[in-house]
Amino acid sequence: GAGVSQTPSNKVTEKGKYVELRCDPISGHTALYWYRQSLGQGPEFLIYFQGTGAADDSGLPNDRFFAVRPEGSVSTLKIQRTERGDSAVYLCASSLRGRAGEAFFGQGTRLTVV
Amino acid sequence: DQQVKQNSPSLSVQEGRISILNCDYTNSMFDYFLWYKKYPAEGPTFLISISSIKDKNEDGRFTVFLNKSAKHLSLHIVPSQPGDSAVYFCAASANAGGTSYGKLTFGQGTILTVHP
């Protein structure tokens, strides 16, 4: 597809479980971002990849959160020992190198921890 | 500490009139500002941006104004259309040492409703 694709669109998991959220960026976009949006709030930055490496992971809330992008394309956000407070919409975006401000967002994955 | 604030949770305007959405920021390192529009169950869509070296940027019905001394920006939509009804987010970035604009800081959003 032409846009940023995120799977699954919805994920319900039990507290304490491990989850993986996937992002397929726009082809050719070297920059990839993960954001988290809680109810009634704006998106909150988590991590930024330039190619395969994490250029800025300052937004990851704690060591339960980890993200990879091994081949510089698809990225996976991994959350260990999920907590109810992790419930949010997780947004992925991609952009051409140096044009991060005009990133294209996916539709998000709604994570619910019960 | 909310570095980007949108103090109006919602705004309602009549079709054809002007919509003005406001945003304030506190971090003086921010040098690039953007507005995004979001429909339910979709990701934010980029609308318009402005660099700190400008005070106005216009694109069709959308104009963004930046007042650096007041640390305030606004988005004007003229004329407003029912299809403009959505959540609008302002966002800002700091070009830290020229490395990237990678990290955006978003406001909480304003729900705009345009009535026919």
Side-chain angles (χ1 to χ4, degrees):
Chain A
V4 177
S5 175
Q6 291 187 246
T7 54
S9 53
N10 281 284
K11 176 71 176 178
V12 180
T13 191
E14 291 181 348
K15 179 176 177 294
K17 298 286 189 183
Y18 168 84
V19 296
E20 289 189 352
L21 311 179
R22 178 187 166 106
C23 173
D24 278 276
I26 293 172
S27 178
H29 281 191
T30 59
L32 185 145
Y33 316 84
W34 284 98
Y35 287 83
R36 176 170 72 173
Q37 186 176 10
S38 301
L39 193 62
Q41 301 296 317
E44 176 190 19
F45 171 82
L46 294 177
I47 188 169
Y48 159 52
F49 286 91
Q50 186 59 261
T52 60
D56 184 349
D57 65 357
S58 62
L60 294 176
N62 51 59
D63 61 6
R64 295 187 297 107
F65 288 76
F66 190 70
V68 296
R69 195 186 186 200
E71 297 177 358
S73 178
V74 170
S75 177
T76 305
L77 178 65
K78 309 180 180 193
I79 311 174
Q80 298 177 326
R81 304 183 304 280
T82 52
E83 300 176 357
R84 292 198 178 88
D86 299 335
S87 297
V89 175
Y90 288 81
L91 294 163
C92 176
S94 71
S95 75
L96 292 171
R97 183 183 176 90
R99 300 302 294 172
E102 294 167 2
F104 292 86
F105 281 82
Q107 83 285 5
T109 292
R110 181 176 295 279
L111 175 66
T112 304
V113 182
V114 297
Chain B
D1 60 336
Q2 191 81 22
Q3 296 187 57
V4 178
K5 294 182 183 179
Q6 294 176 254
N7 291 316
S8 297
S10 63
L11 174 68
S12 181
V13 300
Q14 204 69 31
E15 181 178 7
R17 299 289 186 108
I18 184 171
S19 295
I20 301 176
L21 298 112
N22 293 302
C23 180
D24 297 291
Y25 62 97
T26 57
N27 189 339
S28 55
M29 297 300 292
F30 288 147
D31 58 3
Y32 192 64
F33 304 89
L34 309 93
W35 284 94
Y36 283 84
K37 174 180 178 179
K38 185 182 183 303
Y39 293 117
E42 294 184 10
T45 302
F46 169 75
L47 262 182
I48 191 169
S49 63
I50 187 167
S51 165
S52 59
I53 63 173
K54 295 185 175 182
D55 55 16
K56 177 183 175 181
N57 188 27
E58 193 171 352
D59 184 1
R61 297 186 297 114
F62 302 91
T63 303
V64 56
F65 295 91
L66 175 63
N67 182 334
K68 282 195 300 181
S69 61
K71 293 189 175 68
H72 177 83
L73 64 154
S74 61
L75 174 69
H76 292 210
I77 307 173
V78 183
S80 302
Q81 299 173 353
D84 296 330
S85 297
V87 180
Y88 288 78
F89 293 99
C90 69
S93 72
N95 186 15
T99 53
S100 78
Y101 296 113
K103 178 179 178 179
L104 292 176
T105 302
F106 284 83
Q108 311 95 305
T110 297
I111 301 170
L112 173 66
T113 304
V114 180
H115 298 283

